[in-house]
């Protein structure tokens, strides 16, 4: 299933894409694409519905594909070639950092360059949405705890991230730095999360062109690993790292986003995002 949320910011309604590509309103079935709706039981209730009986809707705005996100956890340096372009070694175990949930926005919402920024960068990433509580789970069981997958643009302010004291979170958490969607694609439609081509373009120029098959740590390992340090709840999101081609790695000089730029990014089977960039 391709689940989504649509409508004005803060007033999003749940929806689903039917077999003909028509968006159907799910408001009569579920309160949101969030929480217990993302459990196996909740998703089964949607799967059993007669979609043709649900209202068809025209979507003016896609909201974030998951509502009420409790945790937004990110994995850094999870592609060896991205670590190389960043001038850093591949870590011996996953690098974990947090992204503020207030950074979450719709997949096509305007991205704001924060005040004082000189190094706002792009990162196409596979998002993993948790659908079942995960705590001290084995890697072999990890994917059973996943509701589905989505596209994420892990936008980053590199100077805030790397040149200011403290942790990466301050360079990752500005408002609009977390576009997610357009869809949450349920795990039954993603046969292998480690074989998904992905790309990102800036002003029509291909900057990132990669695949999840070059991850250092795969989805199952990441979910299991995180569950050793924190419980994961339905609706939590994990952003799993980015392939090479970020602005910070461009030679001879880095290239960063500026007002007026346009981004397009996508992952095979999970949809496409398009964002205009403005100065905050």
């Amino acid at each position: 299933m391709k689940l989504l949320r649509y409508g004005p910011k803060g007033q999003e309604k749940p929806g689903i894409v039917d077999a003909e590509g028509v968006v159907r309103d799910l408001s009569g079935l579920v309160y949101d694409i969030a929480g217990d709706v993302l459990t196996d039981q909740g998703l089964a209730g949607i799967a059993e519905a007669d979609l043709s009986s649900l209202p068809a809707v025209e979507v003016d705005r896609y909201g974030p594909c998951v509502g009420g996100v409790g945790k937004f956890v990110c994995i850094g340096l999870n592609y060896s070639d991205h670590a190389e372009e960043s001038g850093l070694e591949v870590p011996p175990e996953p690098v974990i950092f947090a992204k503020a949930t207030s950074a979450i926005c719709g997949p096509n919402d305007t991205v704001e360059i924060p005040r004082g920024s000189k190094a706002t960068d792009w990162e196409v990433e596979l998002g993993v949405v948790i659908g079942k509580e995960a705590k001290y789970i084995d890697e072999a069981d990890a994917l059973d705890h996943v509701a589905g997958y989505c596209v994420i643009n892990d936008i980053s302010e590199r100077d805030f991230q790397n040149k200011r004291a403290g942790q990466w979170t301050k360079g990752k958490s500005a408002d609009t730095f977390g576009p997610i969607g357009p869809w949450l694609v349920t795990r039954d439609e993603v046969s292998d999360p480690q074989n998904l081509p992905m790309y990102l373009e800036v002003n029509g120029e291909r900057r990132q062109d990669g695949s999840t098959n070059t991850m250092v740590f795969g989805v199952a390992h990441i979910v299991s690993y995180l569950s050793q340090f924190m419980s994961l709840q339905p609706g939590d999101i994990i952003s799993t790292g980015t392939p090479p081609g970020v602005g910070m790695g461009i030679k001879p000089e880095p290239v960063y986003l500026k007002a007026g730029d346009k981004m397009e990014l996508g992952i095979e089977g999970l949809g496409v995002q398009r964002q205009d960039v403005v100065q905050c």
Side-chain angles (χ1 to χ4, degrees):
M1 295 183 291
K2 293 180 175 67
L3 304 175
L4 58 98
R5 301 168 73 246
Y6 70 96
K9 184 177 180 180
Q11 301 176 44
E12 291 92 348
K13 296 180 178 180
I16 187 171
V17 181
D18 71 14
E20 284 71 46
V22 176
V23 176
R24 302 279 180 171
D25 178 52
L26 286 175
S27 297
L29 290 179
V30 297
Y31 67 95
D32 202 351
I33 307 300
D36 58 3
V37 173
L38 298 170
T39 64
D40 286 348
Q41 182 177 2
L43 294 175
I46 298 174
E48 293 166 0
D50 175 9
L51 298 187
S52 65
S53 68
L54 301 177
V57 294
E58 294 289 335
V59 176
D60 293 326
R61 173 186 177 267
Y62 286 94
C65 60
V66 180
V69 177
K71 292 191 287 294
F72 197 169
V73 185
C74 302
I75 307 298
L77 303 174
N78 197 29
Y79 288 71
S80 57
D81 32 15
H82 172 56
E84 181 179 355
E85 74 173 350
S86 302
L88 299 168
E89 294 184 3
V90 174
E93 55 187 282
V95 173
I96 302 171
F97 63 93
K99 199 175 183 85
T101 56
S102 55
I104 293 173
C105 64
N108 304 323
D109 287 352
T110 299
V111 167
E112 299 177 354
I113 297 175
R115 295 178 185 178
S117 168
K118 296 181 180 179
T120 296
D121 206 347
W122 56 82
E123 294 188 20
V124 59
E125 305 203 0
L126 173 66
V128 178
V129 180
I130 298 299
K132 177 182 178 182
E133 182 178 11
K135 185 175 183 179
Y136 300 120
I137 61 171
D138 293 332
E139 185 169 335
D141 301 323
L143 296 186
D144 294 338
H145 296 256
V146 173
Y149 303 92
C150 65
V151 181
I152 294 177
N153 193 351
D154 176 23
I155 300 167
S156 311
E157 212 300 337
R158 300 302 188 187
D159 287 351
F160 297 176
Q161 176 186 353
N162 298 319
K163 296 182 180 180
R164 305 284 290 270
Q167 299 180 345
W168 287 1
T169 301
K170 67 177 68 174
K172 298 282 189 170
S173 295
D175 289 355
T176 75
F177 269 28
I180 63 171
W183 312 312
L184 164 62
V185 179
T186 52
R187 71 173 187 267
D188 59 295
E189 291 200 12
V190 180
S191 59
D192 183 3
Q194 302 309 145
N195 190 31
L196 299 174
M198 59 208 306
Y199 76 94
L200 183 144
E201 296 177 351
V202 181
N203 300 326
E205 182 175 354
R206 186 66 59 101
R207 291 298 192 180
Q208 293 185 274
D209 200 351
S211 170
T212 58
N213 62 24
T214 63
M215 280 185 183
V216 177
F217 306 105
V219 172
H221 181 84
I222 289 168
V223 173
S224 172
Y225 180 86
L226 287 175
S227 79
Q228 312 306 311
F229 302 97
M230 66 188 81
S231 63
L232 301 173
Q233 309 294 330
D236 287 348
I237 297 176
I238 306 167
S239 201
T240 57
T242 197
V246 300
M248 178 177 62
I250 294 175
K251 302 293 191 294
E253 295 292 333
V255 174
Y256 294 118
L257 293 168
K258 62 184 183 302
D261 283 348
K262 296 180 181 295
M263 288 182 282
E264 179 181 301
L265 57 148
I267 300 177
E268 186 175 277
L270 304 185
V272 173
Q273 300 184 356
R274 295 181 178 88
Q275 296 125 13
D276 294 333
V277 179
V278 300
Q279 181 67 53
C280 180

